[in-house]
Structure formats: structure tokens, C-alpha cells
Amino acid sequence: MQQEVQQERLWTREFILLTLSNLLLFSVVQMQAPTLPAYVKETYVSSDLMASLVITMFNLSAILSRIYAGEAIKTKNSKTLIIAGLVIAGLAVVGYCFSASIALLIVLRAIFGIGFGLGSTAFATCVSNTIPQKRFGEGMGYFGLSVSLALALGPIVGINLLQQFGFGTMVFTTVCLVAVVFPLVFGMRRQENPVPSSQAEKITGFARFYDKKILLPTTLNFLLSITYGGLISFLVLFGREANFANVSWYFLCFALTVLLVRPLSGKLFDKKGHRAVVPLGAVLVAVGLFILSFADHYVLLYASAVFYGIGYGFLQPSLQAWTVKIVDPAQRGMANAAFLNSIDLGIGIGSMLLGLVVTYSSYALMYRWSALVMVLFLIIYAISDLRSKKIAREQKQQQVA
């Protein structure tokens, strides 16, 4: 009985250290995400499209490194991958201070993406191996809070440091955060790799890097991330155009709503599945973006943050738990890599495409197009869900016959 309770325990030492480490690593990323495009545009007098490249190149390099990390974590020590990622990321950030051109800065962002890809994949895979199966949605929801808090609080800290103390102070702070992760990592125990099932051992070729079973949740997360790419890349510039003195409070409202919703969405996913959380979350995100496109007062700005935050808090942990839960335990590294890649790919492509929209229209119209992305999200989900229900009915009829 005592052993069973121990197996169902969620808040273990490993879970806490992994969650804190992930929070710090993602905070480093999110402190840079809204500030670097603005810094590049002002320092190098570049276009919105060129400024978005500092986001896109980082995301593309992170995607490539995760493809390696998702496969490597099956056989290599997870601590080694994490430490290698932290060293690479920390050195790249230090290099920002010595960047004399936008080309060199973009190269350093790509190197930083490699380090981030290694570390983030290892953290997510390690934590998914520590969570009890019956509390998987809840556990991933709490772990996902580290990402959501970073997504929300990182931009606030980064924007305020840039505006009040300058780019050098912002970079120094991110280097310190990377350094803090090291003692947390050394405090973790070495994890044993999951023993692959006989079915997992048969997986070869491209399936080792991407399983078709996770196509739907990762595609939906990709579409959600496109909308977030528009927020982190252009919200500061949108605020200047709309005469908002400080748009960083948008991210604070976003953080508070995500904090309230994340634990609830995880438990709801465990009890009733994705159908109970995904459609509602998508509608709320679309509403938040639509309100933002008309924001000319702080009331509308904060209302947008609340709607977007509730929707995002429902969607992302549920999509991640869905992605990881439907694969073999030995394939969790691949599943986490694919899920995190869908975030970076969505943010990268979203920054580029929405940057084009802004170039030929306005920030307000760009956020309305972002809302339409969530309409596409709902259409794809509805079609896939109807198809899966039809297949389930046919299989049931065959069993009865």
C-alpha cells in the first residue's frame, strides 16, 4: 500500500527541480523574445521582417537540435545533454554583447537555439518519466506552468530591463539565470532510460523522429504557437503605435490567468480527455486576439490578456499531455521533441508570416488574422474528432458482429 502511494506521488524532488530548471531556461528565452526584435529594429534601423529573423533563426536551430536530442536521450545520460545545452546557450548569450552586426547576432541566436533545444527536450522527457500515469495530465499541467510563467513573466522582466537599464543589463541578467540552473541540475539523480516495449524496438527510419499518432496534437499546438509568435514579436511595437505606455502589463494579466487555469485544465484532461478542454480553449484564444486587434484603451488590452491567458492555459498542457501519453514510454523523448518543435516552428513561422502582414497592413489587422488561425484550429480539430468517432463506431460494430 505504501509503495502504491509512493508511485502516485507527484511532488517529488526530481519533479520540483526539473520544473524550476525549466522555468529558468524558458525565462531566458522569453526575456529575449520581445526585446531583441525591438533592439534590432532601433539599433540597426532594420525592417519588421528583418527584426523577426532573430526569432525565426533561433526557433529553426532549436528544432534541428531537438530532432537529435529526442533520439539521443534514449541512450545518453540526460544530465550530459542538459549541461551541454546550458553551456552552449550561456556562451551564445554572452556573445550578444560583442555582436557588431545584425548578421553576427542572428548567428549567435542560432547557436543559442541549439543549446536551448538540447536542454528543453531533456527537461521535458525527464519530467514525463517521473509523473505517475494516473496523474499525467495534472503533472504535465503543473510542469507546463513553468513554460507559461516564463512566457508571461519573461517578457515583462525583459522589456522593463531593456527600457530602464539597457540591452547590456538585460543580457547580463539572462546569463545569471542560466548559471543558476547548473546547481539545480547537479542536484538531480541520474534517470534510467525507459525499457522499450517489443513494439517500440521495431520502430525504424523516420518514425524514430516523428510518430504519425502525434500528428493532430502537434499540428494544433503549431497553430496555437503561430498566434503567440505574433504576440511576442510585435506586441511592444503595437503598443507604441496604439500609444500604450507599457504593454508589459499584458503579460502579467496573461500570467495570472494561466496560473489559475493550468492546474484545472490538467485535472479535467485526466478525467474527461481532450474534448473537455481543447474546443473551449481555442474559442477563448480567438476571442482574446480579436479584442486585442481593437484595443485602444487599457481595459481592452487587459481583457484580451485574460481571454488569451485562459484559452492558452487550457490548451497547451492538454496538448502536451495528449502528445506524450499516446506514445510508448521509450518514445517520450521523440514526442516531447516534436511537441516543443511545434512551438518553436509555430512561433518562427508566425513571426515571419505575421511580419509580412504588418509590412503591408497594420498591427491591428495582423491580430485579426491571428484570430482566424484559431478558426482553422477548430476546423481541423472538429474534422479529426468526427473521423475518430466514426472509426470507433465502425470498430465497435465489427466487434458486435
Side-chain angles (χ1 to χ4, degrees):
M1 182 69 177
Q2 187 175 0
Q3 186 178 3
E4 185 178 343
V5 172
Q6 184 70 20
Q7 289 176 347
E8 295 300 319
R9 188 172 163 223
L10 176 60
W11 293 98
T12 60
R13 174 188 175 187
E14 298 300 302
F15 181 82
I16 294 170
L17 288 177
L18 285 164
T19 302
L20 287 174
S21 299
N22 201 58
L23 169 63
L24 293 172
L25 181 60
F26 270 86
S27 294
V28 170
V29 175
Q30 296 308 316
M31 285 174 64
Q32 299 173 29
T35 54
L36 280 176
Y39 170 77
V40 166
K41 189 172 181 180
E42 291 180 358
T43 304
Y44 301 104
V45 196
S46 62
S47 65
D48 287 303
L49 184 59
M50 182 61 70
S52 68
L53 277 176
V54 298
I55 300 292
T56 303
M57 291 306 297
F58 156 75
N59 289 328
L60 290 177
S61 64
I63 288 168
L64 293 175
S65 68
R66 283 204 188 101
I67 293 174
Y68 163 78
E71 182 66 16
I73 204 168
K74 294 178 183 177
T75 56
K76 298 187 185 304
N77 186 344
S78 54
K79 272 192 178 182
T80 302
L81 288 175
I82 291 171
I83 292 170
L86 293 175
V87 170
I88 293 170
L91 291 175
V93 175
V94 171
Y96 292 170
C97 296
F98 303 97
S99 175
S101 67
I102 189 171
L104 180 56
L105 184 61
I106 290 173
V107 170
L108 289 169
R109 286 288 288 168
I111 295 171
F112 176 74
I114 293 172
F116 173 69
L118 292 175
S120 58
T121 303
F123 283 142
T125 304
C126 289
V127 86
S128 61
N129 290 333
T130 67
I131 298 172
Q133 193 67 14
K134 290 183 179 179
R135 302 182 69 180
F136 202 79
E138 181 186 0
M140 293 306 291
Y142 282 118
F143 177 74
L145 270 176
S146 64
V147 179
S148 295
L149 283 174
L151 290 174
L153 299 178
I156 296 175
V157 176
I159 290 170
N160 280 289
L161 285 174
L162 180 66
Q163 291 178 341
Q164 296 183 29
F165 302 103
F167 184 70
T169 301
M170 193 272 291
V171 170
F172 176 75
T173 304
T174 58
V175 173
C176 291
L177 290 179
V178 173
V180 170
V181 181
F182 281 96
L184 298 178
V185 172
F186 286 113
M188 300 174 193
R189 300 182 184 90
R190 176 173 178 171
Q191 290 193 359
E192 297 297 327
N193 296 322
V195 178
S197 66
S198 57
Q199 185 178 1
E201 289 176 338
K202 296 177 183 177
I203 298 174
T204 58
F206 183 73
R208 291 184 304 160
F209 305 102
Y210 193 88
D211 191 322
K212 64 180 181 180
K213 287 188 292 187
I214 65 174
L215 178 61
L216 178 58
T218 53
T219 299
L220 296 177
N221 193 57
F222 165 74
L223 293 174
L224 174 65
S225 300
I226 285 177
T227 69
Y228 193 76
L231 281 178
I232 62 172
S233 296
F234 302 112
L235 190 61
V236 173
L237 300 172
F238 169 73
R240 291 175 183 172
E241 183 183 81
N243 296 317
F244 290 116
N246 192 348
V247 295
S248 64
W249 293 109
Y250 181 98
F251 294 103
L252 179 60
C253 292
F254 174 81
L256 292 174
T257 52
V258 167
L259 270 173
L260 294 173
V261 169
R262 272 272 191 175
L264 172 64
S265 66
K267 292 179 180 179
L268 197 58
F269 176 86
D270 284 334
K271 290 181 179 179
K272 298 188 177 181
H274 56 81
R275 293 186 182 95
V277 289
V278 171
L280 175 61
V283 170
L284 291 171
V285 166
V287 170
L289 290 166
F290 193 70
I291 292 174
L292 181 60
S293 72
F294 289 99
D296 56 0
H297 191 276
Y298 279 105
V299 173
L300 288 178
L301 187 71
Y302 298 152
S304 166
V306 169
F307 276 100
Y308 192 90
I310 295 174
Y312 197 91
F314 268 107
L315 285 176
Q316 200 184 62
S318 302
L319 292 172
Q320 185 169 16
W322 182 5
T323 301
V324 178
K325 199 170 184 178
I326 58 178
V327 300
D328 188 278
Q331 286 288 86
R332 284 174 179 168
M334 174 278 301
N336 278 304
F339 181 83
L340 293 170
N341 277 345
S342 69
I343 296 177
D344 287 330
L345 189 62
I347 291 175
I349 291 178
S351 297
M352 290 290 288
L353 292 179
L354 296 174
L356 285 172
V357 173
V358 168
T359 301
Y360 295 104
S361 58
S362 66
Y363 294 109
L365 188 59
M366 180 266 290
Y367 286 122
R368 285 169 209 161
W369 276 102
S370 293
L372 288 177
V373 170
M374 295 311 296
V375 175
L376 177 61
F377 177 110
L378 284 167
I379 292 171
I380 292 173
Y381 177 80
I383 292 173
S384 300
D385 194 45
L386 289 172
R387 183 172 174 270
S388 64
K389 286 180 179 178
K390 181 181 178 182
I391 292 172
R393 281 196 304 267
E394 291 174 350
Q395 290 176 344
K396 190 175 181 181
Q397 289 172 357
Q398 289 175 359
Q399 290 174 356
V400 172

